[in-house]
Amino acid sequence: MKILSIQSAVAYGHVGNSAAVFPLQRIGVEVMPVYTVNFSNHTGYGAWRGPMIDPDDVRDVVAGIEDRGVFPQIDVVLSGYQGGDGIADVILDTVARVKEANPAAIYACDPVMGNAKSGCFVAPAIPALLRDRVVPAADIITPNQFELGFLTETEPSDLDSTLASADAARAMGPRTVLVTSVERPDRAEGTIEMLAVTDDGAWIVQTPHIPMKANGSGDVTAALFTAHHRRTGDAADALARTTSSVFDLLERTHASGERELQLIESQDAYANPRLQFEVTQVR
């Protein structure tokens, strides 16, 4: 499998492509990373150095890949956090060109906007851009519960309303929706869930909630779920594998006391997930 991943990059730590590429490689995926920024570290530190890459330069890198004649071999275009509105045009154009070269290719979009605790943390134009132009072009989206609500102008909370919101998102274009950070009012205390919804059904998985802010964990989740689902077409299996890998990554990171994901130290969790959590079909 080959994935063209258009995301940010950092030298120190793990977010964007610096979080997604290695886990994908560890499960046998050939990744072509295209950077949208090249920062010293993620912006959560409040200070960073390095350039945001001009959209025309990003487009040029993609064009160089196309020149090598590999677009027909690309199975997935993957995108995450979009720092400015110009990059969306590059991503959407890339998706169109890849799909023209390989009609079986898919586009997976992690519509990064914010979360329930912090609210929106992207530029003001980004949420509407994602909702109106980017998400409708996607085959897979991986919003958290907060982002799902914004995209669909709904308020997902319990299982039924979250399923309804996922269906509303699917009506916009993408056939597969992975909802992360699902926090149902009636869930067991100290737990958190993920929900996958496709044409074939819906599945939920519950894990203990690890009390930490883990920048980059959503990027790992989106990458692994997309790759597993593209490989097998089995959403329940992709959900089980992704959940197992990401939980073990977070657990190791929390135990280390470090702020950054222990991405390399957790590599066996990607290649050989323990599958320790039960996935339940809810529709």
Side-chain angles (χ1 to χ4, degrees):
M1 185 189 308
K2 290 183 170 62
I3 293 182
L4 176 63
S5 181
I6 306 175
Q7 299 197 58
S8 58
V10 294
Y12 172 71
H14 302 289
V15 299
N17 267 332
S18 302
V21 170
F22 178 67
L24 287 171
Q25 291 172 329
R26 197 63 182 81
I27 64 170
V29 175
E30 181 72 45
V31 189
M32 288 165 262
V34 176
Y35 300 152
T36 56
V37 309
N38 190 11
F39 287 166
S40 55
N41 51 271
H42 70 70
T43 59
Y45 287 96
W48 64 93
R49 295 175 184 250
M52 181 176 288
I53 298 173
D54 187 278
D56 286 340
D57 291 330
V58 179
R59 190 187 301 273
D60 207 33
V61 171
V62 172
I65 296 170
E66 186 176 22
D67 289 346
R68 302 284 71 76
V70 297
F71 272 19
Q73 303 167 32
I74 293 173
D75 300 289
V76 179
V77 179
L78 174 66
S79 73
Y81 169 75
Q82 298 185 22
D85 53 4
I87 198 64
D89 291 328
V90 178
I91 292 169
L92 291 171
D93 181 60
T94 301
V95 169
R97 296 169 81 89
V98 168
K99 286 191 170 190
E100 184 178 10
N102 177 14
I106 64 168
Y107 170 38
C109 168
D110 185 10
V112 178
M113 290 181 280
N115 56 59
K117 294 181 177 62
S118 306
C120 275
F121 51 64
V122 295
I126 297 299
L129 176 70
L130 288 169
R131 181 189 63 211
D132 298 338
R133 292 190 56 213
V134 180
V135 165
D139 300 285
I140 296 176
I141 60 171
T142 58
N144 60 37
Q145 194 174 28
F146 169 85
E147 292 161 340
L148 177 66
F150 182 89
L151 289 171
T152 56
E153 300 178 301
T154 60
E155 295 185 4
S157 56
D158 60 11
L159 180 58
D160 287 344
S161 62
T162 305
L163 283 168
S165 297
D167 286 339
R170 294 172 67 243
M172 296 166 66
R175 305 315 308 154
T176 298
V177 176
L178 175 70
V179 190
T180 65
S181 300
V182 175
E183 300 186 60
R184 294 190 284 166
D186 57 345
R187 73 191 187 281
E189 186 175 354
T191 64
I192 197 164
E193 294 169 311
M194 283 203 292
L195 174 72
V197 186
T198 74
D199 290 340
D200 298 324
W203 296 265
I204 199 163
V205 62
Q206 184 177 92
T207 72
H209 180 237
I210 299 174
M212 62 177 293
K213 182 178 181 181
N215 295 90
S217 58
D219 303 318
V220 176
T221 300
L224 288 176
F225 179 83
T226 295
H228 288 310
H229 189 265
R230 181 67 180 84
R231 183 172 275 161
T232 67
D234 186 335
D237 178 72
L239 184 60
R241 291 178 181 277
T242 302
T243 302
S244 175
S245 298
V246 174
F247 179 84
D248 283 354
L249 167 62
L250 292 177
E251 189 174 52
R252 181 182 288 269
T253 301
H254 186 250
S256 74
E258 297 290 333
R259 178 171 180 173
E260 295 289 346
L261 291 177
Q262 300 299 288
L263 193 82
I264 309 305
E265 296 83 349
S266 304
Q267 60 180 291
D268 287 344
Y270 324 135
N272 302 293
R274 294 189 291 144
L275 302 178
Q276 68 271 45
F277 301 109
E278 181 180 359
V279 172
T280 303
Q281 187 163 7
V282 291
R283 192 170 71 191

